[in-house]
Amino acid sequence: MIKRLSALAHSLACFQGEWDADIDALRRGASFGSAEPGGIVVGRRGGGLSALEVSQHDLVRSWSRCRLHLWQVGGGLMSQGLAVFFDVGDTLASAVVEGTHLSRLDTYPFVPEVLVRLRSGDVAPPASVGLISDTGDESAATMNKVLRAAGLLPLVDAELCLFSSIEGIDKSQAALFERARERAALPATRCVFVGEDAKERGIAASVGFRVSPHPLHALHLVAVDFAVHP
């Protein structure tokens, strides 16, 4: 146990160095790869580029690498982790489209409580909460804006939000769910996908996810199957 904890501490120290190096590169204007349409303007720094665009995938690279390495060296210490990923449209909210673009999300009344209870550990160990959503050609900025206006943004983990317009793959591909699992740095059996579409649930299940058709059902599933009993 002491050796395992030492390995975890070493991993955290290594990650801190990598994270600091990535942030320093951003400040100097270095690029982590070609910016994709819908990229995020990270910031403006003297001595660097006036506006640096990187994809959401690049922004979470260091964080995902850390979580995956901690899982690998930590063994059973991270086996109790849990990540619950939700579809957005028709699962958490109704999407309102004006023209060809998303203008707002009307969040269902029960949703905020479900997300808070999952994150707080009210029904099981505290869960990370993410989104897996097909978003057409919407930018990350648009998605953040509508999620914030809908009251959802503070209730999810930004590094676990996977939008097809940013990732370059959608929910018809098992690779998107694999990528979500990698970002969570958990076994697929510790990941849940919640969505109203049976075909999409089938794809998630094909890579080992537990699946649920409705947020309230997901809350029950987590309480029954993932609760830690003394």
Side-chain angles (χ1 to χ4, degrees):
M1 176 63 73
I2 293 176
K3 289 183 178 179
R4 185 172 291 173
L5 289 173
S6 297
L8 286 171
H10 176 71
S11 295
L12 284 171
C14 290
F15 167 68
Q16 183 64 54
E18 291 178 355
W19 179 260
D20 289 344
D22 284 350
I23 293 301
D24 184 60
L26 284 173
R27 287 172 176 165
R28 296 196 314 270
S31 174
F32 292 136
S34 60
E36 300 294 335
I40 304 169
V41 176
V42 176
R44 299 174 184 271
R45 290 279 180 177
L49 299 178
S50 60
L52 176 64
E53 276 202 326
V54 296
S55 70
Q56 188 180 57
H57 178 67
D58 292 326
L59 285 175
V60 301
R61 182 187 63 167
S62 292
W63 172 245
S64 300
R65 185 169 58 239
C66 170
R67 293 177 69 144
L68 180 59
H69 188 52
L70 285 176
W71 173 40
Q72 291 169 338
V73 302
L77 290 180
M78 292 193 71
S79 64
Q80 296 304 308
L82 177 64
V84 184
F85 294 91
F86 291 85
D87 188 12
V88 178
D90 296 329
T91 297
L92 296 181
S94 294
V96 178
V97 176
E98 294 182 359
T100 59
H101 289 282
L102 179 65
S103 63
R104 75 173 191 271
L105 293 168
D106 292 338
T107 303
Y108 302 135
F110 56 84
V111 164
E113 181 182 355
V114 169
L115 301 185
V116 167
R117 293 184 68 185
L118 287 171
R119 290 166 61 91
S120 69
D122 180 41
V123 297
S128 298
V129 174
L131 304 174
I132 301 177
S133 184
D134 290 348
T135 52
D137 59 357
E138 302 294 352
S139 68
T142 295
M143 293 309 302
N144 287 339
K145 178 182 177 181
V146 297
L147 287 168
R148 184 179 294 109
L152 295 173
L153 196 61
L155 302 179
V156 298
D157 296 285
E159 72 275 7
L160 298 184
C161 292
L162 287 80
F163 304 130
S164 65
S165 54
I166 308 302
E167 304 298 331
I169 49 179
D170 61 30
K171 287 179 293 180
S172 69
Q173 300 164 276
L176 185 58
F177 296 96
E178 287 281 12
R179 185 174 295 178
R181 184 202 64 76
E182 291 172 0
R183 297 256 178 101
L186 290 169
T189 54
R190 303 294 300 184
C191 296
V192 179
F193 173 67
V194 187
E196 85 292 342
D197 188 283
K199 184 176 180 180
E200 293 172 356
R201 294 198 305 273
I203 295 170
S206 74
V207 301
F209 276 52
R210 299 297 303 277
V211 295
S212 171
H214 192 279
L216 293 175
H217 176 270
L219 196 64
H220 174 73
L221 182 152
V222 167
V224 171
D225 292 355
F226 293 99
V228 175
H229 303 289

